[in-house]
Amino acid sequence: MLARLQSMALSGIDGIGCEIEVDCASRGFATAIIVGLPDTAVKESLERVRSALKNSGYTWPQYKTVVNLAPADVRKEGPAFDLPIALGMIFAGGEGSPPRVAEYLIAGELALDGRVRPIKGALSMAMLARQRKLAGVIVPRANAPEAAVVHDIEVIGIETLAEAVGFLTDQLPLEPTVLDIDAVFAEAAKYEIDFAEVRGQELVKRALTIAASGGHNILLIGPPGTGKTMLSKRLPTILPSLTLAESLETTRIYSAAGKLSPEQSLMAKRPVRSPHHSASGPALVGGGSIPKPGEVSLAHHGILFLDEFPEFSRSILETLRQPLEDGVVTIARSHSSICFPARFLLIASMNPCLCGFLTDPAKVCKCSPAQIERYLSRVSGPLIDRIDLHVEVPPVPFRELRGGVPGTSSDDLREQVLQARQVQRKRFGEKSTTLNAAMSAKQVRTHCEIDDAGEQVLKQALAEFGLSARAHDKILRVSRTIADLADDARIKPDHISEAIMYRRL
């Protein structure tokens, strides 16, 4: 008897339909094989399925069984095929597949006692089911809230193999899982930290507000203990909340990477990734024999914080050039090429020299000019050129550190950011996600017109500092954001002067 079931294979973060065919012959030895380009985890599923069937009260087929995973030219990985394979063996050894089987995508890892364990990519699976106009998905109970983010389909969460059989044979009615997305976003809007806790550093807060408003990358330079990390950790509190579309795209990445926590159904907060400087290239940008997303993709629609910027390997930092420019990471292998989204806001921090005290008025720097030059040269010029804002973070004076007046709060800064982003939505279209930092060269010429006085200021800066053509466009984009914060339709000379001040390197 032949049984057919529908499941999903992951390719990057996208789901690919996978038909599982189970054929139980009427003669031959009681052996089972899996074909269709399975990896080791899929091949091992036969032993898990054998024990799960036995311990759940079902019989293992008595004759030769062939399991085919189609399409055969797509590599299948992971234990998510355990459940559909087990169901296929049950139905192929009986009266055939019940009609409801064709209406659902099915996936789940089996424990030896028949329990169903969570899988990766449940959200991509639900989106594939909606795209193919199926009734819904059958997934482990732990993955049901994640899949329920997708509307217009049924999400059936199960805990055991027997529950799946009972539901598909109409012997056990199960209610679809429903998720209140508004409640999830409302809970995620709460932060325990605030910019008001940072005393002083109002100029740095201003620069971070500009970065958040226009999506500009920023580099903080200052001695140890001046608050660079503290300021960076509070940047998410002034960013706009994720839209549903942004949240779904980010959640797909985390789901495919297996990074969603068991109680988490949706990435409702902007992600913040802070890899250590010892991280490898594949860990930062993604990779592996079967490509997986790296830190830059996990920071999609969020923040990538690189502390101790020059301590990262120079070759690894150079891999950031493509995602900084294009917002995607392309990982090529001999058998395929996979693109992962990587549109993030980069915050980097570094000391001004090897000992860290070059710009500290209270301490003496012990580094020689040659040591300072070698330290700064660890970060290449082309990479520095791609960072819009270079901001000095000075030590906080004692009177400000111990003063009773709190600093500017996150609520105040967030209101400025939201106002500036509303101006950009009107400029680029309500449905557009383009920010000033991502303007094309054509858009820069259209939206960043300056008068004669501003032209003179910009010309003098380019000549004095030897800035590149890329830096010229960066200054205009930052000036546009500063003008938006001031609610000015035109860029003024003082907006350009402030933008030039942020090109310290």
Side-chain angles (χ1 to χ4, degrees):
M1 187 71 71
L2 178 67
R4 290 190 178 91
L5 301 93
Q6 302 298 319
S7 188
M8 179 204 72
L10 273 177
S11 176
I13 64 172
D14 298 318
I16 299 176
C18 178
E19 184 176 61
I20 297 178
E21 300 173 305
V22 181
D23 181 34
C24 291
S26 58
R27 60 175 64 89
F29 296 104
T31 60
I33 60 171
I34 297 180
V35 296
L37 212 58
D39 73 346
T40 303
V42 179
K43 292 177 181 177
E44 291 174 347
S45 68
L46 288 176
E47 300 306 318
R48 291 191 295 272
V49 169
R50 186 194 301 270
S51 296
L53 289 176
K54 176 183 175 182
N55 294 319
S56 299
Y58 302 101
T59 59
W60 181 259
Q62 298 300 309
Y63 300 104
K64 182 178 179 180
T65 302
V66 178
V67 179
N68 180 42
L69 309 179
D73 60 344
V74 175
R75 188 167 184 82
K76 321 301 187 307
E77 63 166 337
F81 300 103
D82 291 3
L83 179 60
I85 289 174
L87 291 171
M89 287 187 169
I90 292 171
F91 297 142
E95 299 179 357
S97 302
R100 299 188 72 177
V101 167
E103 301 174 4
Y104 293 87
L105 293 183
I106 306 170
E109 176 185 350
L110 285 177
L112 299 185
D113 60 357
R115 288 178 294 113
V116 183
R117 291 181 171 139
I119 58 167
K120 299 177 182 178
L123 177 57
S124 296
M125 183 177 173
M127 295 175 76
L128 178 64
R130 183 174 64 180
Q131 178 185 337
R132 297 176 64 175
K133 295 181 171 54
L134 297 177
V137 296
I138 298 175
V139 294
R141 184 70 54 83
N143 292 121
E146 173 191 339
V149 171
V150 180
H151 295 299
D152 304 326
I153 63 168
E154 293 182 1
V155 177
I156 307 299
I158 59 168
E159 292 185 348
T160 65
L161 173 61
E163 282 188 6
V165 175
F167 174 76
L168 291 172
T169 56
D170 292 323
Q171 296 176 359
L172 178 65
L174 295 175
E175 289 296 321
T177 301
V178 179
L179 181 70
D180 187 348
I181 296 179
D182 292 335
V184 173
F185 275 100
E187 182 64 26
K190 303 173 184 176
Y191 287 94
E192 296 180 357
I193 55 178
D194 195 287
F195 266 112
E197 300 161 358
V198 181
R199 300 301 175 95
Q201 305 295 17
E202 292 300 316
L203 291 178
V204 184
K205 291 182 184 179
R206 164 69 175 174
L208 289 170
T209 304
I210 295 171
S213 299
H216 302 286
N217 301 313
I218 184 169
L219 173 63
L220 304 180
I221 313 161
T226 54
K228 300 187 295 295
T229 303
M230 189 176 185
L231 286 159
S232 300
K233 287 182 176 179
R234 282 155 178 76
L235 184 59
T237 65
I238 66 173
L239 289 172
S241 301
L242 283 170
T243 64
L244 181 58
E246 291 174 335
S247 179
L248 287 174
E249 192 171 17
T250 304
T251 305
R252 286 176 66 199
I253 298 172
Y254 275 73
S255 178
K259 298 290 186 181
L260 280 181
S261 57
E263 68 280 356
Q264 193 174 18
S265 58
L266 191 68
M267 290 291 297
K269 279 186 179 179
R270 293 190 180 272
V272 180
R273 305 298 298 183
S274 181
H276 191 260
H277 58 74
S278 62
S280 65
L284 193 63
V285 299
S289 57
I290 299 177
K292 296 288 190 297
E295 292 292 334
V296 296
S297 295
L298 294 172
H300 186 55
H301 291 312
I303 292 172
L304 179 66
F305 176 47
L306 301 182
D307 200 8
E308 303 297 340
F309 200 41
E311 299 299 329
F312 285 83
S313 167
R314 180 164 178 163
S315 61
I316 291 175
L317 288 181
E318 293 305 300
T319 61
L320 292 175
R321 289 198 199 180
Q322 184 200 9
L324 284 176
E325 288 289 329
D326 303 331
V328 297
V329 170
T330 303
I331 301 174
R333 293 292 181 266
S334 59
H335 54 80
S336 64
S337 179
I338 294 178
C339 289
F340 292 110
R343 183 71 67 185
F344 56 87
L345 178 60
L346 174 66
I347 307 179
S349 70
M350 61 182 287
N351 296 330
C353 65
L354 192 60
C355 73
F357 301 121
L358 178 63
T359 58
D360 193 330
K363 296 182 181 179
V364 178
C365 173
K366 299 180 181 180
C367 301
S368 67
Q371 287 177 317
I372 296 173
E373 184 177 350
R374 280 197 302 271
Y375 178 76
L376 295 177
S377 66
R378 293 179 184 177
V379 184
S380 70
L383 182 58
I384 288 291
D385 214 25
R386 285 170 166 80
I387 300 178
D388 307 54
L389 307 173
H390 313 152
V391 183
E392 183 177 353
V393 185
V396 182
F398 179 80
R399 57 184 175 80
E400 292 185 13
L401 194 61
R402 298 296 299 166
V405 180
T408 309
S409 69
S410 292
D411 289 341
D412 294 337
L413 298 179
R414 181 185 174 90
E415 187 176 341
Q416 298 177 40
V417 171
L418 293 176
Q419 177 266 327
R421 293 222 174 179
Q422 180 60 34
V423 173
Q424 292 169 75
R425 277 195 296 273
K426 291 179 180 178
R427 177 181 302 125
F428 302 117
E430 287 294 335
K431 295 184 179 180
S432 174
T433 58
T434 302
L435 296 176
N436 288 336
M439 280 193 291
S440 65
K442 181 179 179 181
Q443 289 174 321
V444 169
R445 290 192 296 270
T446 302
H447 302 298
C448 298
E449 295 181 354
I450 55 179
D451 56 20
D452 292 339
E455 192 83 33
Q456 188 62 33
V457 172
L458 184 57
K459 179 181 178 181
Q460 183 178 352
L462 290 175
E464 184 175 345
F465 298 120
L467 299 177
S468 66
R470 180 184 287 112
H472 166 272
D473 286 357
K474 295 282 188 188
I475 289 172
L476 288 177
R477 292 185 182 105
V478 173
S479 301
R480 180 68 269 170
T481 301
I482 295 171
D484 291 343
L485 284 166
D487 201 18
D488 286 329
R490 295 186 63 85
I491 298 175
K492 298 179 179 178
D494 56 320
H495 301 150
I496 299 175
S497 298
E498 184 178 0
I500 293 170
M501 183 184 70
Y502 296 130
R503 302 296 299 185
R504 299 194 60 85
L505 293 181

